[in-house]
Amino acid sequence: MNEMICPAGSADVAALNPRERLVLAATRLFCSHGISATGVDAVLREAGVAKMTLYKIFGSKNRLVEAVLEEEGQRWRDWFLPALMSGPQAPREKLDRIFPLLKQWFEREDFYGCPFINAVGEHDKSDPRMRELALRHKSAVLQSISTLAMEAGAADPVSLAHQISLLMDGAIVAAMVTRDPSLAEVAAKASGAVLDQAALKYPSR
């Protein structure tokens, strides 16, 4: 299984280049302590990199934050989407995988919630950059869910995908707050009811 989001992998730090060490260190610290609470000096100590190197590579802390979100978003999608979409199962069965997969993520000791949700929550709401990054990530996930919903025969696959996405977001936030992975099972029941109500043409294989 690919490493999931927060923190990134268990790579041999000594073998990484300065950029990779900075992103790895920032990911660990941002996820566990928060972006605003993590100063540049803490990232530098964790990464073992000079301040001049950080500013030469990224230019600013904000650019480092963006790099972390982009790379961790890709890492999470590389895990979640193939696990969701692959195999010969019927589309409805694949849709039913969503919350068991999220439960796997919630059960990890390094689960700190969704970095995109956390970043948008922490940052200046008048700055669109964090929202743009979050929406790009969400759009990729929504597209896959919408595709499955369409293949399952949903009358309005886009709306159905958004309904499921809202349940996903709620489960992620609730699991982060409570540290209770079983909330994924509660969300799975709600998702099942939504899918049943959608009267899919191809509910099972």
Side-chain angles (χ1 to χ4, degrees):
M1 178 185 297
N2 291 334
E3 288 294 328
M4 286 174 267
I5 210 164
C6 280
S10 55
D12 181 357
V13 174
L16 301 178
N17 63 42
R19 186 188 188 283
E20 292 169 332
R21 293 206 303 273
L22 284 164
V23 171
L24 178 62
T27 299
R28 289 172 173 165
L29 294 171
F30 293 163
C31 288
S32 58
H33 303 301
I35 296 169
S36 298
T38 301
V40 167
D41 289 343
V43 175
L44 296 174
R45 284 194 300 271
E46 179 87 3
V49 172
K51 182 176 290 189
M52 184 180 297
T53 302
L54 184 151
Y55 287 108
K56 182 178 180 181
I57 295 171
F58 295 105
S60 67
K61 179 184 175 182
N62 282 342
R63 293 298 182 190
L64 174 59
V65 171
E66 292 170 10
V68 166
L69 291 175
E70 288 172 345
E71 294 191 21
E72 288 303 286
Q74 187 64 57
R75 184 188 304 277
W76 191 88
R77 294 191 300 275
D78 286 346
W79 162 70
F80 180 79
L81 295 181
L84 176 66
M85 303 292 287
S86 64
Q89 292 78 11
R92 167 61 193 264
E93 293 176 61
K94 292 179 179 180
L95 289 168
D96 286 335
R97 293 176 181 174
I98 291 173
F99 293 95
L101 285 170
L102 290 186
K103 186 179 180 185
Q104 291 179 29
W105 181 30
F106 298 167
E107 288 173 340
R108 290 175 59 94
E109 290 184 6
D110 55 13
F111 169 70
Y112 297 105
C114 172
F116 293 98
I117 294 174
N118 297 344
V120 171
E122 283 192 55
H123 277 74
D124 181 357
K125 304 306 178 289
S126 65
D127 181 357
R129 181 58 179 161
M130 294 302 154
R131 291 200 308 277
E132 289 169 358
L133 291 170
L135 288 171
R136 190 182 309 162
H137 170 74
K138 180 178 283 292
S139 293
V141 177
L142 277 170
Q143 180 60 50
S144 294
I145 297 173
S146 180
T147 296
L148 288 177
M150 180 179 63
E151 291 173 352
D156 189 346
V158 173
S159 176
L160 183 57
H162 277 285
Q163 291 175 62
I164 294 171
S165 177
L166 286 172
L167 291 171
M168 291 173 68
D169 289 346
I172 291 167
V173 172
M176 176 187 66
V177 172
T178 64
R179 308 302 296 177
D180 181 1
S182 71
L183 291 174
E185 298 170 4
V186 177
K189 291 179 182 178
S191 177
V194 168
L195 291 170
D196 289 343
Q197 189 177 29
L200 303 180
K201 296 178 182 176
Y202 311 109
S204 62
R205 205 174 155 73

